[in-house]
Amino acid sequence: MVGVQKIVLNKKGQELAIFGMVAFLLIILTLLFYWFFFVTPLAVKSKLPSYGPIQQSITAQDRLDLDLILLNYLRTPIVVENTYITISDLARLYSINKLKYETPMKEETKKIMDAVFKSYNYKLKIGDTLLAEKGQFDEPSLSAKQFIPFQEGATISVSLETGEQDKSYTTEYTVAG
Amino acid sequence: MKKGQFLPMIAIFTILIVGILGYTFYKNKIKERDELVGERAGFIINTLIENEKDYFFVEDSARLAFCDSMEDLSNKGVGCLKGNYPLWSFNPDNCNPDNNMVNSFNKYFDENFRRYISYNTRLKNLKYTFKLSDDGFFLVSDPILIETIDDKSIISVKYDFKVDLNKKIASNIKDYTDTVILAKKYLTCINNGKTVDACNVETKLLGSKSDNLIKFDVSSIKNPCTLRQMEIKFVLESVGLS
């Protein structure tokens, strides 16, 4: 044994070098053990590889934007018959008397929505009646719906759908100077 | 430290630290979660969306209920009727608009608001308080709990609704309270033995005699929600009517 030791470890500092290599391997093994027994088993998995990991929160964020647009539209104050009312009030008046309030309802809706959706197509409906639209699309990419209180036991539904971005739309930029 | 001792010490410390981390995982019962990254965030955002929609419904219902209550005040007064006209009596009784105008409005508002929010299944049992004062109209609800439930966990969000109608409509009943003051003056005028015509001129309230009653249809105000004209109408009884 002493002879083998003398042959194998015949250089100065070899013992320490082997000891160091062992220590290094021990570190690697410990980290691998930790990785395979603690990190990967407890990681969040993707159920649907084609969906993408953060698609759901991005979609939720877009939905939030569209719902907020719809709510702000319904809260917008307008002047009808020299009185300030909201779009939701006008929607109720329109539901009671379509003939009298159709024009202000459609005009105000188009004005507001065209300003919001400069580069997107959209459709806005009260119940099943189309109030305003821009562009054509078969399947909406996003939709939002809100119910507003109405008369005895009834609510009115207002829905907003957006289509794909209008690719022909170009944004103009003004450069100072 | 001697040369070559550093790496072995690193190895010992690594094992120690990884051991502590592993123990922490075990102690805190960190479990595998079978969900998408961003899925929980998506649930929370969806819950926020529902909150915003409910808040809009509460706000719009409060606005409608306020307008309806003004109509009720016009048509039913403080709850006493003579024929189709609300009776205003300035005796210490329930028909006295001085004491009962605000109470009656609150009663009408409560009934109307409760009716509107009952159309929304999530809000129909909402608990709330409201106050009509000189500063305007405020409604505050108790917190409601919305839970988004997926297979493995519940995300609970509590929120309450605060509605300040002052910025939305002229949320006061000043037209009514001003008319009550004039009506009191009118009654005093009549009880002093003056004629209806003379009191009409004196108070600028136009009353018309009908048996032992004086009927009033005060110049109308516009309902800010329905744009319909509402007349403040009432009758006064006077012993001294001539």
Side-chain angles (χ1 to χ4, degrees), chain B residues 136-215:
Chain B
F137 184 87
F138 301 92
L139 182 139
V140 175
S141 77
D142 282 3
I144 62 170
L145 187 69
I146 297 290
E147 291 182 334
T148 305
I149 300 169
D150 64 5
D151 291 339
K152 299 199 172 46
S153 61
I154 299 170
I155 298 168
S156 303
V157 179
K158 245 190 205 178
Y159 43 77
D160 49 16
F161 305 111
K162 291 184 177 64
V163 176
D164 175 0
L165 277 187
N166 307 318
K167 293 170 192 136
K168 319 280 179 196
I169 54 177
S171 54
N172 59 63
I173 52 172
K174 199 170 174 303
D175 291 306
Y176 298 90
T177 50
D178 287 349
T179 308
V180 168
I181 295 169
L182 285 175
K184 248 173 150 176
K185 261 170 90 174
Y186 198 101
L187 202 58
T188 309
C189 173
I190 286 288
N191 289 341
N192 286 342
K194 292 187 184 164
T195 63
V196 166
D197 291 334
C199 294
N200 283 353
V201 170
E202 191 176 309
T203 61
K204 296 186 180 47
L205 263 185
L206 293 176
S208 57
K209 204 169 122 188
S210 174
D211 297 328
N212 66 332
L213 299 172
I214 312 166
K215 281 186 183 169

Side-chain angles (χ1 to χ4, degrees), chain B residues 211-225:
Chain B
D211 297 328
N212 66 332
L213 299 172
I214 312 166
K215 281 186 183 169
F216 296 86
D217 290 287
V218 177
S219 59
S220 55
I221 54 176
K222 207 187 240 185
N223 185 318
C225 301

Side-chain angles (χ1 to χ4, degrees), chain B residues 106-122:
Chain B
N106 289 344
K107 189 178 90 149
Y108 297 140
F109 179 86
D110 199 28
E111 284 166 5
N112 290 323
F113 183 70
R114 181 58 65 193
R115 191 180 78 242
Y116 284 121
I117 61 170
S118 69
Y119 306 157
N120 184 314
T121 45
R122 258 204 309 279

Side-chain angles (χ1 to χ4, degrees), chain A residues 11-45:
Chain A
K11 299 280 184 294
K12 219 191 321 193
Q14 250 180 321
E15 281 173 10
L16 223 43
I18 289 169
F19 194 25
M21 211 162 18
V22 169
F24 179 73
L25 279 172
L26 213 55
I27 292 169
I28 299 295
L29 279 172
T30 309
L31 291 174
L32 281 172
F33 177 82
Y34 178 70
W35 180 263
F36 284 112
F37 284 91
F38 287 98
V39 176
T40 47
L42 303 181
V44 175
K45 289 185 182 17

Side-chain angles (χ1 to χ4, degrees), chain B residues 31-93:
Chain B
K31 289 196 174 58
E32 175 186 338
R33 288 199 319 209
D34 188 19
E35 63 186 52
L36 293 165
V37 171
E39 195 172 355
R40 294 198 130 223
F43 276 131
I44 290 169
I45 290 172
N46 285 337
T47 309
L48 285 175
I49 291 171
E50 295 306 315
N51 171 39
E52 284 297 319
K53 290 162 83 158
D54 288 344
Y55 176 66
F56 173 84
F57 198 93
V58 166
E59 198 181 48
D60 216 27
S61 298
R63 189 186 149 78
L64 264 188
F66 189 95
C67 293
D68 284 358
S69 305
M70 285 168 66
E71 290 256 9
D72 287 338
L73 265 188
S74 296
N75 295 329
K76 299 187 228 172
V78 296
C80 303
L81 292 174
K82 275 268 184 197
N84 291 334
Y85 278 70
L87 171 66
W88 287 8
S89 142
F90 290 97
N91 301 322
D93 58 22

